[in-house]
Amino acid sequence: MRPRAFRFARRLTHSTAPRRAPVSADASARSAPAPSVYSDTHLTAALVGRPNVGKSTLFNRLAAAVRGRQTDSRSTPPLTFVRSVVHPLPGVTRDSRHAAAAISDLLLTVVDTPGLEDAVHNASDQSHRPSLVEDEPASLVNAVAHCSDLAYRRVYASMRDATIRAVAHANLVLFIVDASTPLTALDHAHAKWLRSCLTPKKSLILVANKCDVAQSEHRAIDAYALGFGDPVLISAEQGLGFADLYERIRVLPRSLPVPQPAEATTTQVHSQSERLHPEEAAIRESFDEQLVITTSARLREQPLAQLITSIVGRPNVGKSTLLNRLVGEERSIVGAAAGITRDAVLCHWDTPLRRSDHPPVWLVDTPGVRAEAKVSADQLERLTVRASLQALRNSHVVVVVIDATESLTRQDVKLMDVVVTEGRAAVLVVNKMDKIGPPDLDQWRAELRYSVDHKLEQLKGIEVVEMSAKDWHQDPSQAQRLYAAVQRARGRWEKRIPTSALNRFVKGFNERMAVGGGTQGERRNRIGITKFITQKKIRPPMFRLDGSSAVSMNYLRALTNAIRHEFGYEGVPIRVKRPSRRRRR
């Protein structure tokens, strides 16, 4: 039977998305030419439009064009974290996300922006949805001002500011409208605002999406009323019409590129003739667990090209606030309501604490994961949970954030079980420490350590970092403590023990386990012993036993705990494989 954590993650990530609609015969099926030599356009394209016009779908389509090509992992974000959550309900995207993208041989950076008139994801939150007054003209301001709830109003204001910043830092705007429906007041409001943002150094292309349904190309004629010229007819879901978009982008001026932040740097893609050696490529993409397993032992000993650290936890424990404090800017939208984050937000941790021998660190803010019984009824939340678990699987170190006022809950234990199953190094962050008074602090620490060591046997001794995002500026050492804990967890995760030291340790361990000593003690206790042990791999550490007899589970469990304590593998799940129960002939 599969482990409990695997079944928990499998049920939460089961896809129930509906099948795609058939492609219309009227839609153009031309595709962009096949790439031979790649050229960097130095363009940053912001995808702008009202909710549910297909911005995230187009973002995923463009970002997937560079996935799987050889990249420079040290200077570019990992391509695993560039997929946005797509759902039929409007207003799913709330955070701006950057990704390297390509249209045929043209390389650019795309920014997925939230819809400014956001709709919430279930019927219980419809009272918080901003609404427009009939007599008042639609604008980007009053769509936020007429929200009935103050907490959601702040969320929508942050989304609006994120979109404004994305357009300000971009030199290309892809204004997306829905060709399957008539133009709305918000489309005209976006057009009016974008017209005021245009400069000689900023270009705009009008894109009519969803041209794969009947009569959509005829309705796209209405887009001429926006005043941006000929629209480009595409279908982001079906991948149609990108040849026309390619021709429009290819003729744009490429001089005077806009300075881009580190997380938005365009990926360097090599042509087929310039591909790296397969072994070197495996090293550069070493954050992928499958590549680590399939490569040789020599390649597994290479240092990491980049350190991926994901921040996971239950909703409303302070994950997004922690990310913003660490990077020093508002990258994730925060608010008092739970479940605001819906996408895995990736950003570079450019900290002065990093030494020259440390790899670059990328932080991933993930959506909160609730209990399975509460998630199963909401398809959108299942997609966000899938994004969180996918980020966890593709990370090196997992920072599990818990609430100090609730200590270690059952859901926290389940998330840590997933960390153990995936074999990732872990650091436990206790947020909201400002709510714990000094008189109860020592007792609280003792109870937390007892709960962690007894409920999480595979992560016994995990490092606990106490912090308070609210009092961040009053205690500047919080970032330093977390960075040091992450680096120590990485060091334990990729530690290799010499075979001679392992066998000397196992020899003494067998003498302590076999009461009476020698073969008689082995037969009396029926535990079996191992005569030889080696470490097969790192990330996570894996050991293999070899001997004349099979060992019992009690012996294996005791040996695993002894190895963790003796060689300093606290907070790191280790694997110890026992030999077959058949005796060698």
Side-chain angles (χ1 to χ4, degrees), residues 185-202:
L186 279 174
D187 289 326
H188 290 279
H190 279 76
K192 181 180 179 180
W193 170 63
L194 290 174
R195 194 174 293 108
S196 64
C197 297
L198 292 181
T199 63
K201 299 180 182 180
K202 195 186 302 290

mmCIF file of all heavy atoms in Angstrom, residues 185-202:
data_model
loop_
_atom_site.group_PDB
_atom_site.id
_atom_site.type_symbol
_atom_site.label_atom_id
_atom_site.label_comp_id
_atom_site.label_asym_id
_atom_site.label_seq_id
_atom_site.Cartn_x
_atom_site.Cartn_y
_atom_site.Cartn_z
ATOM 1 N N ALA A 185 -18.102 47.284 -20.830
ATOM 2 C CA ALA A 185 -17.649 48.594 -20.362
ATOM 3 C C ALA A 185 -16.236 48.537 -19.811
ATOM 4 O O ALA A 185 -15.470 49.506 -19.935
ATOM 5 C CB ALA A 185 -18.617 49.121 -19.303
ATOM 6 N N LEU A 186 -15.854 47.392 -19.215
ATOM 7 C CA LEU A 186 -14.504 47.283 -18.680
ATOM 8 C C LEU A 186 -13.469 47.190 -19.800
ATOM 9 O O LEU A 186 -12.334 47.650 -19.637
ATOM 10 C CB LEU A 186 -14.409 46.061 -17.777
ATOM 11 C CG LEU A 186 -14.933 46.265 -16.355
ATOM 12 C CD1 LEU A 186 -14.926 44.951 -15.602
ATOM 13 C CD2 LEU A 186 -14.111 47.295 -15.622
ATOM 14 N N ASP A 187 -13.829 46.603 -20.932
ATOM 15 C CA ASP A 187 -12.907 46.602 -22.068
ATOM 16 C C ASP A 187 -12.614 48.026 -22.519
ATOM 17 O O ASP A 187 -11.458 48.384 -22.788
ATOM 18 C CB ASP A 187 -13.504 45.784 -23.223
ATOM 19 C CG ASP A 187 -13.528 44.296 -22.931
ATOM 20 O OD1 ASP A 187 -12.597 43.819 -22.253
ATOM 21 O OD2 ASP A 187 -14.477 43.621 -23.363
ATOM 22 N N HIS A 188 -13.635 48.850 -22.620
ATOM 23 C CA HIS A 188 -13.432 50.246 -23.003
ATOM 24 C C HIS A 188 -12.665 51.007 -21.916
ATOM 25 O O HIS A 188 -11.863 51.901 -22.242
ATOM 26 C CB HIS A 188 -14.780 50.908 -23.272
ATOM 27 C CG HIS A 188 -15.452 50.410 -24.514
ATOM 28 N ND1 HIS A 188 -15.120 50.870 -25.770
ATOM 29 C CD2 HIS A 188 -16.440 49.484 -24.696
ATOM 30 C CE1 HIS A 188 -15.870 50.266 -26.673
ATOM 31 N NE2 HIS A 188 -16.680 49.420 -26.049
ATOM 32 N N ALA A 189 -12.898 50.656 -20.630
ATOM 33 C CA ALA A 189 -12.155 51.313 -19.557
ATOM 34 C C ALA A 189 -10.672 50.954 -19.620
ATOM 35 O O ALA A 189 -9.799 51.811 -19.431
ATOM 36 C CB ALA A 189 -12.741 50.916 -18.200
ATOM 37 N N HIS A 190 -10.364 49.690 -19.891
ATOM 38 C CA HIS A 190 -8.971 49.286 -20.050
ATOM 39 C C HIS A 190 -8.335 49.988 -21.246
ATOM 40 O O HIS A 190 -7.173 50.417 -21.179
ATOM 41 C CB HIS A 190 -8.888 47.771 -20.212
ATOM 42 C CG HIS A 190 -8.957 47.018 -18.920
ATOM 43 N ND1 HIS A 190 -10.127 46.848 -18.242
ATOM 44 C CD2 HIS A 190 -8.006 46.384 -18.201
ATOM 45 C CE1 HIS A 190 -9.901 46.130 -17.149
ATOM 46 N NE2 HIS A 190 -8.607 45.842 -17.102
ATOM 47 N N ALA A 191 -9.080 50.079 -22.331
ATOM 48 C CA ALA A 191 -8.541 50.739 -23.525
ATOM 49 C C ALA A 191 -8.235 52.206 -23.258
ATOM 50 O O ALA A 191 -7.196 52.735 -23.696
ATOM 51 C CB ALA A 191 -9.527 50.600 -24.682
ATOM 52 N N LYS A 192 -9.111 52.886 -22.531
ATOM 53 C CA LYS A 192 -8.880 54.291 -22.213
ATOM 54 C C LYS A 192 -7.638 54.454 -21.338
ATOM 55 O O LYS A 192 -6.821 55.368 -21.542
ATOM 56 C CB LYS A 192 -10.115 54.851 -21.518
ATOM 57 C CG LYS A 192 -10.005 56.334 -21.161
ATOM 58 C CD LYS A 192 -11.272 56.817 -20.485
ATOM 59 C CE LYS A 192 -11.168 58.298 -20.096
ATOM 60 N NZ LYS A 192 -12.401 58.772 -19.424
ATOM 61 N N TRP A 193 -7.494 53.575 -20.359
ATOM 62 C CA TRP A 193 -6.332 53.660 -19.480
ATOM 63 C C TRP A 193 -5.039 53.329 -20.224
ATOM 64 O O TRP A 193 -4.018 54.014 -20.068
ATOM 65 C CB TRP A 193 -6.528 52.723 -18.296
ATOM 66 C CG TRP A 193 -5.287 52.552 -17.468
ATOM 67 C CD1 TRP A 193 -4.631 53.513 -16.762
ATOM 68 C CD2 TRP A 193 -4.556 51.344 -17.282
ATOM 69 N NE1 TRP A 193 -3.530 52.975 -16.131
ATOM 70 C CE2 TRP A 193 -3.460 51.648 -16.439
ATOM 71 C CE3 TRP A 193 -4.720 50.044 -17.733
ATOM 72 C CZ2 TRP A 193 -2.540 50.678 -16.044
ATOM 73 C CZ3 TRP A 193 -3.805 49.079 -17.341
ATOM 74 C CH2 TRP A 193 -2.729 49.401 -16.511
ATOM 75 N N LEU A 194 -5.049 52.269 -21.045
ATOM 76 C CA LEU A 194 -3.843 51.893 -21.773
ATOM 77 C C LEU A 194 -3.447 52.963 -22.786
ATOM 78 O O LEU A 194 -2.250 53.165 -23.049
ATOM 79 C CB LEU A 194 -4.057 50.553 -22.478
ATOM 80 C CG LEU A 194 -4.152 49.326 -21.563
ATOM 81 C CD1 LEU A 194 -4.501 48.085 -22.379
ATOM 82 C CD2 LEU A 194 -2.839 49.110 -20.807
ATOM 83 N N ARG A 195 -4.420 53.653 -23.338
ATOM 84 C CA ARG A 195 -4.097 54.716 -24.303
ATOM 85 C C ARG A 195 -3.313 55.834 -23.630
ATOM 86 O O ARG A 195 -2.431 56.450 -24.245
ATOM 87 C CB ARG A 195 -5.384 55.247 -24.932
ATOM 88 C CG ARG A 195 -5.171 56.100 -26.177
ATOM 89 C CD ARG A 195 -6.479 56.470 -26.828
ATOM 90 N NE ARG A 195 -7.160 55.304 -27.382
ATOM 91 C CZ ARG A 195 -8.245 54.762 -26.870
ATOM 92 N NH1 ARG A 195 -8.800 55.283 -25.783
ATOM 93 N NH2 ARG A 195 -8.799 53.709 -27.434
ATOM 94 N N SER A 196 -3.604 56.096 -22.358
ATOM 95 C CA SER A 196 -2.857 57.120 -21.629
ATOM 96 C C SER A 196 -1.477 56.639 -21.207
ATOM 97 O O SER A 196 -0.610 57.456 -20.889
ATOM 98 C CB SER A 196 -3.644 57.553 -20.386
ATOM 99 O OG SER A 196 -3.793 56.468 -19.481
ATOM 100 N N CYS A 197 -1.247 55.316 -21.203
ATOM 101 C CA CYS A 197 0.054 54.772 -20.794
ATOM 102 C C CYS A 197 1.024 54.625 -21.946
ATOM 103 O O CYS A 197 2.222 54.385 -21.716
ATOM 104 C CB CYS A 197 -0.129 53.401 -20.122
ATOM 105 S SG CYS A 197 -1.093 53.434 -18.597
ATOM 106 N N LEU A 198 0.531 54.710 -23.180
ATOM 107 C CA LEU A 198 1.397 54.479 -24.335
ATOM 108 C C LEU A 198 2.399 55.605 -24.501
ATOM 109 O O LEU A 198 2.084 56.789 -24.328
ATOM 110 C CB LEU A 198 0.561 54.325 -25.602
ATOM 111 C CG LEU A 198 -0.307 53.071 -25.699
ATOM 112 C CD1 LEU A 198 -1.051 53.044 -27.016
ATOM 113 C CD2 LEU A 198 0.542 51.823 -25.535
ATOM 114 N N THR A 199 3.626 55.246 -24.825
ATOM 115 C CA THR A 199 4.719 56.168 -25.102
ATOM 116 C C THR A 199 5.408 55.720 -26.382
ATOM 117 O O THR A 199 5.153 54.611 -26.879
ATOM 118 C CB THR A 199 5.725 56.190 -23.931
ATOM 119 O OG1 THR A 199 6.304 54.883 -23.791
ATOM 120 C CG2 THR A 199 5.049 56.597 -22.633
ATOM 121 N N PRO A 200 6.282 56.531 -26.950
ATOM 122 C CA PRO A 200 7.018 56.085 -28.144
ATOM 123 C C PRO A 200 7.851 54.829 -27.915
ATOM 124 O O PRO A 200 8.172 54.131 -28.883
ATOM 125 C CB PRO A 200 7.893 57.299 -28.473
ATOM 126 C CG PRO A 200 7.157 58.468 -27.903
ATOM 127 C CD PRO A 200 6.503 57.952 -26.663
ATOM 128 N N LYS A 201 8.213 54.544 -26.665
ATOM 129 C CA LYS A 201 9.013 53.354 -26.368
ATOM 130 C C LYS A 201 8.168 52.166 -25.938
ATOM 131 O O LYS A 201 8.718 51.124 -25.574
ATOM 132 C CB LYS A 201 10.030 53.682 -25.258
ATOM 133 C CG LYS A 201 11.010 54.774 -25.630
ATOM 134 C CD LYS A 201 11.970 55.032 -24.490
ATOM 135 C CE LYS A 201 12.945 56.167 -24.840
ATOM 136 N NZ LYS A 201 13.882 56.431 -23.725
ATOM 137 N N LYS A 202 6.865 52.318 -25.934
ATOM 138 C CA LYS A 202 5.990 51.238 -25.497
ATOM 139 C C LYS A 202 5.001 50.931 -26.618
ATOM 140 O O LYS A 202 4.276 51.819 -27.075
ATOM 141 C CB LYS A 202 5.245 51.632 -24.218
ATOM 142 C CG LYS A 202 4.574 50.462 -23.483
ATOM 143 C CD LYS A 202 3.744 50.948 -22.323
ATOM 144 C CE LYS A 202 4.576 51.740 -21.333
ATOM 145 N NZ LYS A 202 5.537 50.871 -20.603
#
